[in-house]
Structures are given as structure tokens and as C-alpha cells.
């Protein structure tokens, strides 16, 4: 349920992060949590940005979250139901204690729609009453800046910035807690094209097979289970989509500077239809391939636990251990060991700008190509088949008409024309079947890269924020308002962020070259096989005319 608010007062934004709002204007909120008195949302003109929390009233708070009222205070609805679940694999997620609860394999996927037996209850909260209040004073100064204003680099005013939310700002400024011992280590080394993640000495892969419909609670609840077989363990485990979803959220929480591949999308209905199950399986296979090939993600303890654990008690212990991991977000940067080679920050900044332009253009190209291939697949499934069938029917109609004047009729010609009509009907069916052999896989790869590319703006923003802090600290040092050692510390920590981003860029390009080579090779090979089959059908029909 969309969260909405109404503006109590007009507000005029004063920078690119802020938007204008008008009195009594209805706004859509991105979140009901205010940061330093600011909310983020979209006005009626489609502009998204920040505005003061004290200038609006919440109209339609959704359940299960903290609400910020018009004064910016936090209140809680404790009995709220869970909203926004698109997949009943997400339900009863307490400890996933469904290892030995009467699961039953009922069937391979058929084509029937799956219907969840649980119904979401709708709770309606009263709309806040509007009462006139004097327009509150707007304090723009950052409330989090340290009291040592003269010697400490200030924090970003925009607390919604990914640079702030990720904790990387605190890391660069040296404000993250230091651990006596960091057991987890990830090395970055210099390669022929710059920094790269150190290659895993024991690479592995993992197959995903046999999506199977299962039930629990004596058939009340149904779900799809996938068999995963990691080749470095060679012992299968069975996982549901909600297990993948849990892992994905742990990955996002931990690896701030890594482009974590997106999971296949959720679907509200038709989760047990065979086409959807096969599509999800294909995309989970691609997701798993990217996970196992990443030198850092593949070694994550939570991922290894996901791939190997078969015991209920061990599963719960490992799950909670992953959720208690302290080396997440900005703290993950403490695990990185960077090369000693000097890198000029100006050169790094230019390199990042080049990749930023590249990724933006590639994102646009992938989106356009995805649209074209989707339309082509749609035509294969519908338009082409229909047109070939119409041609086939018309040809058979012609052959039938040739039989109406027997003295001039020719049985061999009539049969040849009729066979030609049937051939084109067969060709139409071949066109309809072809997308699952080539275009669907092409679209799977494009979808994966749309997700990967969508991650980079936030990751690049982390580096840009770090550059800004380095420049600011050096200026303060030159003005005598900061010790040079402190400025050097900020520069050193900025190097860690820079090396991590460059290593991730390097890995992205390596995978990109491999993936698109394989995808287009596969597409062209399947197209060649397809048109050969079409040609063979047409050639067999053609030979029928040789004997007339």
C-alpha cells in the first residue's frame, strides 16, 4: 500500500536534492522514516527529492513500520499485518523450521495457477485530522556535525544519500568502530588492467535442477523446491525461493561496494505455472553462476552455509550467525587488503568517470535491446504463427478449389499445394516454439545485466563522496584547521574505497565479455539450427512439385 502525505505548508527547495511542495498537495513517500527531520518523496509533478518532515502529515501509513507524524516524531503500530508480500514463500520466515514437517512431493509443475491459502487482512487506520499549526522553523544545518567544527570534516546534509546510509562516509572520516582482530580478509591485487579481486584458488560452480512442487501443513501450503548441487561439495541441498531471498538480503546488507546480482522477480499469481517456474529456474541458474564466479561473494560464509547445510539445527545456527555478522556495510571495508602501489586520486576519479559514462550507455543499450528481443519473441509466439497459419489455410483453400472441376483437376498438384499449406502451418508452430530455445535465454542475460548496471550509480556515488571528503580535508589541512595526519588518514581510507570500486569494475568487465560472447554465440547457433529446420521442411515440400 503506497504511503502518502499531504503538505501542511508550501516549501521551496534550495538545492538539487530538495523538491518544491505546495500547501495541501498530495505526496507519495519513499519511506516514512525521517532522517534529521527530512523525508523523501514525490510531488504531484513527478519530482522526487527531500522536504521537511515537519511540513507534511502522513495520510496512509502502511503497517509494520515506524510512522513519522507531522511533527517528525516516531510512533508504532504494533498489531499491523504484513503487507506487500508477492510470494507466499516469504511467509512464516521465523526460523524456516520446515525441514521435517510433513513435506510431500506432489507433482512436477503442471500449468495450473497456484493460489495462496493465506489471505492478507486489510487494516484501515484513521486519517490524521488536519489542524492549523504555525509554520515550523526550518533548520538546515546538519545536526550530526561534530562539536569540533573547526577541525573536523562535516557530514553530508543529505542523510538519504547512499554515501551516508551505507556508512561509507563514517568509514572515510574514521568514525567506524575498530575491531581488535578482523578474521575475515579479502585481497585486492594489481592486474594487467588495474586493481582486481584476488582470484579464488579453489573455484567452484553449483547446478540448480528439478524445480518440484511440494506441500506442507498437510497440503494447506504449496511451494517450489530447487535442488542445488555445488561441485566442491557434491552433495545436494534443497532450497525454496525464500531461502534465496534471505541470502540476497544478507548480501546487500554486507557488501556495500559490490554489485550483487539481482534475484529473479517475484510474481503475485501463477507461481505454479510451468512457464514461470522454468523462467525462474533459468534466471536462478544465471544468478548462481555469477555468485560462484565472484572472488568475494563466493567465499561469503553465509553463501557457503546456504549451499552446504542439510541439518536443521546447524541451519538455524548458521542463519543467526550470518545475521549477527558485524563486518557488514562500511565495516566490510575493514576486511580489504589493498596493494601498496601508489594511485593518483585524480587518475582514479577520471577512471571512475569513464566507467560511469560507459555503464550509463550500456544500461540504455541493454534496455533497448531487451525491448526489441521481447517484441520479437512476442511476434514469434503470436503474430508469426498466426500469419503462417493463415497462409497455410489459404493454400489449402486453393487446393480445394482446384478439385471442383474434375476434368481439369490434377491430383498431384492438388496434393502438393495442400501439403504446402500444411507445411506453413508447421512452420508457424516452429516459430512459436523457438523463443524458449534462444530469445528467452537472451532476455535472461539482459535482465541480469539490467540489475547489475542498476547497482553501479550508488556504488560510484560512494567513491565520489569519498573524493569530496579527501578534497575537503586537504583544504582544511592547508588552512591549518586540521592536522595533516588526520587528512592523510581520510586519504588512506578513500584509497580503500577506490581500490574496491576498481576491482569490482574489473570483475564486471571480465564477466561482461564472457557472458555476452556466450549468449550471442548460443543465440546465433540456435537461430542457424532453427532456420535449417525451416529450410528442410520447405525443401521436402518443394520436391513434391518436381514429380508433376
Amino acid at each position: 500500500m503506497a504511503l502518502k502525505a499531504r503538505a501542511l505548508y508550501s516549501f521551496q527547495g534550495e538545492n538539487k536534492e530538495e523538491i518544491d511542495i505546495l500547501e495541501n498537495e498530495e505526496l507519495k513517500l519513499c519511506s516514512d522514516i525521517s532522517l534529521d527531520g527530512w523525508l523523501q518523496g514525490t510531488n504531484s509533478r513527478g519530482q522526487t527529492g527531500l522536504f521537511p518532515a515537519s511540513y507534511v502529515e502522513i495520510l496512509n501509513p502502511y503497517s509494520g513500520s515506524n510512522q513519522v507524524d507531522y511533527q517528525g516524531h516516531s510512533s508504532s503500530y504494533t498489531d499491523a499485518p504484513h503487507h506487500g508480500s508477492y510470494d507466499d514463500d516469504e511467509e512464516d520466515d521465523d526460523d524456516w523450521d520446515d525441514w521435517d514437517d510433513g513435506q510431500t512431493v506432489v507433482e512436477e509443475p503442471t500449468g495450473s495457477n497456484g493460489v495462496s491459502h493465506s489471505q492478507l487482512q486489510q487494516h484501515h487506520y484513521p486519517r490524521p485530522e488536519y489542524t492549523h499549526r504555525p509554520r515550523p522553523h526550518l533548520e538546515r544545518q546538519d545536526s550530526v556535525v561534530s562539536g569540533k567544527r573547526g577541525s573536523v570534516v562535516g557530514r553530508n546534509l543529505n542523510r538519504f544519500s547512499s554515501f551516508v546510509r551505507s556508512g561509507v562516509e563514517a568509514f572515510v572520516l574514521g568514525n567506524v568502530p575498530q575491531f581488535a582482530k578482523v578474521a575475515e580478509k579479502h585481497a585486492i591485487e594489481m592486474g594487467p588492467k588495474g586493481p582486481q579481486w584476488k582470484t579464488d584458488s579453489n573455484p567452484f560452480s553449483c547446478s540448480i535442477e528439478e524445480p518440484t512442487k511440494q506441500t506442507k501443513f498437510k497440503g494447506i501450503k504449496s511451494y517450489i523446491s530447487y535442488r542445488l548441487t555445488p561441485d566442491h561439495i557434491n552433495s545436494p541441498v534443497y532450497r525454496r525461493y525464500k531461502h534465496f531471498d534471505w541470502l540476497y538480503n544478507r548480501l546487500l546488507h554486507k557488501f556495500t561496494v559490490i554489485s550483487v546480482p539481482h534475484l529473479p522477480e517475484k510474481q503475485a499469481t501463477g507461481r505454479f505455472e510451468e512457464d514461470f517456474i522454468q523462467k525462474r529456474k533459468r534466471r536462478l541458474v544465471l544468478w548462481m553462476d555469477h555468485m560462484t564466479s565472484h572472488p568475494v561473494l563466493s567465499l561469503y560464509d553465509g553463501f557457503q552455509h546456504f549451499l552446504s547445510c542439510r541439518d536443521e539445527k546447524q541451519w538455524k545456527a548458521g542463519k543467526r550467525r550470518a545475521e549477527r555478522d558485524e563486518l557488514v556495510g562500511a565495516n566490510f571495508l575493514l576486511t580489504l587488503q589493498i596493494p601498496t602501489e601508489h594511485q593518483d586520486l585524480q587518475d582514479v576519479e577520471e577512471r571512475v568517470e569513464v566507467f560511469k559514462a560507459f555503464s550509463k550507455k550500456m544500461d540504455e543499450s541493454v534496455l533497448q535491446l531487451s525491448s526489441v528481443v521481447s517484441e520479437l519473441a512476442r511476434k514469434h509466439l503470436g503474430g508469426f504463427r498466426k500469419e503462417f497459419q493463415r497462409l497455410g489455410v489459404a493454400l489449402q483453400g486453393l487446393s480445394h478449389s482446384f478439385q471442383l472441376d474434375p476434368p481439369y483437376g490434377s491430383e498431384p498438384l492438388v496434393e502438393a499445394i495442400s501439403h504446402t499449406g500444411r507445411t506453413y502451418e508447421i512452420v508457424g508452430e516452429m516459430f512459436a516454439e523457438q523463443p524458449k530455445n534462444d530469445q528467452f535465454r537472451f532476455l535472461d542475460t539482459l535482465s541480469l545485466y539490467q540489475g547489475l548496471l542498476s547497482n553501479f550509480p550508488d556504488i560510484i556515488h560512494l567513491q565520489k563522496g569519498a573524493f569530496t571528503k579527501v578534497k575537503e580535508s586537504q583544504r582544511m589541512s592547508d588552512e591549518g584547521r586540521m592536522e595533516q595526519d588526520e587528512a592523510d588518514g581520510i586519504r588512506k581510507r578513500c584509497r580503500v574505497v577506490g581500490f574496491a570500486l576498481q576491482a569490482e569494475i574489473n570483475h564486471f568487465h571480465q564477466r561482461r565479455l564472457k557472458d555476452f560472447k556466450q549468449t550471442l554465440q548460443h543465440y546465433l547457433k540456435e537461430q542457424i539450427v532453427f532456420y535449417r529446420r525451416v529450410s528442410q521442411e520447405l525443401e521436402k515440400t518443394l520436391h513434391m512439385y518436381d514429380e508433376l
Side-chain angles (χ1 to χ4, degrees):
M1 182 164 56
L3 187 63
K4 297 181 181 180
R6 174 171 283 111
L8 299 173
Y9 317 100
S10 294
F11 168 76
Q12 186 172 1
E14 296 185 6
N15 58 55
K16 64 180 182 180
E17 303 290 346
E18 300 169 1
I19 60 171
D20 296 345
I21 60 175
L22 303 176
E23 185 176 349
N24 291 326
E25 181 178 12
E26 190 173 276
L27 310 166
K28 294 181 180 178
L29 299 183
C30 299
S31 171
D32 58 359
I33 306 300
S34 69
L35 291 179
D36 290 344
W38 295 82
L39 288 170
Q40 186 177 41
T42 304
N43 61 22
S44 59
R45 296 168 295 287
Q47 300 167 327
T48 300
L50 303 175
F51 45 82
S54 57
Y55 278 46
V56 303
E57 61 172 352
I58 304 291
L59 295 181
N60 197 15
Y62 54 72
S63 55
S65 64
N66 290 331
Q67 182 204 345
V68 180
D69 64 19
Y70 44 76
Q71 292 296 338
H73 302 302
S74 178
S75 60
S76 177
Y77 293 100
T78 57
D79 298 325
H82 176 65
H83 286 281
S85 175
Y86 286 92
D87 193 326
D88 65 359
D89 266 0
E90 295 178 287
E91 298 172 5
D92 48 88
D93 275 331
D94 48 351
D95 285 312
W96 305 341
D97 45 359
D98 51 5
W99 294 76
D100 186 18
D101 55 5
Q103 296 178 8
T104 305
V105 177
V106 292
E107 64 202 29
E108 288 300 317
T110 57
S112 59
N113 287 328
V115 180
S116 172
H117 291 270
S118 59
Q119 300 294 328
L120 290 178
Q121 297 178 352
Q122 298 296 326
H123 284 210
H124 299 281
Y125 297 101
R127 170 179 167 179
E129 294 181 5
Y130 177 83
T131 56
H132 177 73
R133 290 178 176 79
R135 180 179 175 123
H137 173 66
L138 178 61
E139 178 61 62
R140 288 183 173 274
Q141 194 172 38
D142 185 9
S143 61
V144 191
V145 175
S146 168
K148 300 183 291 182
R149 295 180 184 273
S151 62
V152 177
V153 177
R155 293 191 181 184
N156 196 331
L157 173 64
N158 180 10
R159 313 312 295 168
F160 289 94
S161 162
S162 60
F163 182 53
V164 178
R165 286 186 287 105
S166 65
V168 173
E169 179 192 53
F171 170 80
V172 171
L173 296 179
N175 294 333
V176 297
Q178 298 297 311
F179 296 88
K181 182 180 180 181
V182 178
E184 185 179 340
K185 296 292 183 183
H186 301 284
I188 299 173
E189 55 191 15
M190 293 301 292
K193 295 184 179 180
Q196 63 184 29
W197 299 113
K198 185 176 180 180
T199 305
D200 183 8
S201 57
N202 297 300
F204 67 95
S205 61
C206 178
S207 64
I208 299 180
E209 299 168 313
E210 297 183 5
T212 306
K213 187 175 180 182
Q214 296 188 350
T215 63
K216 58 185 295 186
F217 304 136
K218 297 182 179 180
I220 294 177
K221 183 177 176 64
S222 300
Y223 60 90
I224 300 298
S225 176
Y226 301 86
R227 188 180 74 180
L228 280 57
T229 309
D231 62 7
H232 66 313
I233 300 172
N234 204 28
S235 179
V237 295
Y238 294 86
R239 297 289 182 259
R240 297 164 56 180
Y241 182 84
K242 74 170 183 181
H243 300 150
F244 283 94
D245 198 41
W246 170 83
L247 173 62
Y248 176 65
N249 281 287
R250 299 320 306 164
L251 294 166
L252 292 181
H253 189 55
K254 182 175 179 69
F255 298 105
T256 305
V257 293
I258 292 177
S259 180
V260 178
H262 290 199
L263 277 177
E265 68 277 8
K266 299 175 183 178
Q267 183 162 309
T269 60
R271 292 180 296 106
F272 300 123
E273 291 183 357
E274 186 173 4
D275 287 346
F276 175 73
I277 291 171
Q278 292 305 318
K279 175 184 176 182
R280 175 175 277 183
K281 178 199 166 186
R282 291 195 314 269
R283 296 192 174 189
L284 284 175
V285 168
L286 277 179
W287 183 86
M288 182 62 72
D289 185 44
H290 268 250
M291 285 293 300
T292 57
S293 71
H294 197 287
V296 177
L297 298 180
S298 62
L299 298 179
Y300 171 45
D301 285 345
F303 182 48
Q304 291 294 329
H305 179 69
F306 172 84
L307 293 177
S308 61
C309 185
R310 304 180 69 186
D311 178 78
E312 178 183 358
K313 291 183 179 179
Q314 291 179 6
W315 173 263
K316 292 180 182 179
K319 177 176 179 284
R320 289 167 181 157
R321 186 166 59 249
E323 292 166 352
R324 290 196 299 265
D325 186 3
E326 294 183 308
L327 296 174
V328 300
N331 288 346
F332 168 71
L333 296 169
L334 299 172
T335 71
L336 302 183
Q337 298 175 322
I338 64 175
T340 57
E341 284 89 342
H342 172 72
Q343 273 196 316
D344 185 80
L345 289 184
Q346 184 68 31
D347 293 339
V348 176
E349 192 168 14
E350 291 175 359
R351 174 74 189 91
V352 171
E353 281 297 320
V354 169
F355 180 77
K356 180 180 178 181
F358 158 81
S359 60
K360 183 176 184 294
K361 183 62 179 177
M362 181 179 174
D363 189 36
E364 294 170 354
S365 301
V366 166
L367 184 62
Q368 180 184 20
L369 182 56
S370 180
S371 176
V372 170
V373 177
S374 293
E375 178 63 16
L376 183 59
R378 188 188 66 80
K379 289 179 178 178
H380 269 259
L381 293 167
F384 292 161
R385 173 168 58 180
K386 183 178 179 180
E387 293 305 315
F388 280 118
Q389 286 175 341
R390 289 178 61 189
L391 176 59
V393 170
L395 285 167
Q396 292 192 62
L398 178 65
S399 70
H400 179 70
S401 71
F402 280 15
Q403 302 177 57
L404 299 181
D405 194 353
Y408 297 94
S410 170
E411 282 299 322
L413 179 60
V414 168
E415 177 57 29
I417 295 175
S418 178
H419 185 81
T420 302
R422 292 194 296 272
T423 297
Y424 275 109
E425 290 182 350
I426 292 172
V427 169
E429 292 301 323
M430 291 169 63
F431 268 87
E433 290 294 318
Q434 185 57 23
K436 68 182 182 183
N437 298 325
D438 49 28
Q439 289 153 3
F440 288 170
R441 176 167 168 176
F442 202 168
L443 289 170
D444 294 339
T445 300
L446 294 175
S447 175
L448 178 76
Y449 272 84
Q450 281 181 275
L452 290 170
L453 288 163
S454 71
N455 295 334
F456 275 106
D458 274 351
I459 298 175
I460 291 172
H461 182 66
L462 303 180
Q463 179 65 72
K464 302 285 282 185
F467 283 143
T468 300
K469 297 306 176 188
V470 169
K471 294 172 184 176
E472 187 178 344
S473 64
Q474 191 56 54
R475 183 178 66 252
M476 294 179 68
S477 176
D478 294 341
E479 295 171 353
R481 295 192 292 126
M482 175 182 285
E483 295 293 332
Q484 186 59 46
D485 287 348
E486 190 175 353
D488 290 343
I490 292 175
R491 177 178 292 270
K492 179 180 178 181
R493 290 184 289 273
C494 178
R495 289 183 74 241
V496 174
V497 180
F499 271 105
L501 174 56
Q502 292 175 84
E504 190 59 18
I505 290 173
N506 197 322
H507 176 76
F508 174 83
H509 281 308
Q510 289 177 3
R511 281 299 322 210
R512 173 181 61 86
L513 297 175
K514 176 182 177 182
D515 287 339
F516 279 89
K517 173 187 173 182
Q518 291 180 346
T519 298
L520 286 165
Q521 279 181 327
H522 176 269
Y523 183 79
L524 290 169
K525 287 177 181 177
E526 290 294 332
Q527 287 277 290
I528 290 169
V529 170
F530 169 65
Y531 284 108
R532 279 178 179 166
R533 289 173 54 224
V534 172
S535 296
Q536 288 168 1
E537 290 291 334
L538 296 176
E539 285 174 357
K540 285 189 297 184
T541 302
L542 176 62
H543 290 320
M544 295 186 68
Y545 293 87
D546 295 340
E547 301 173 0
L548 296 180

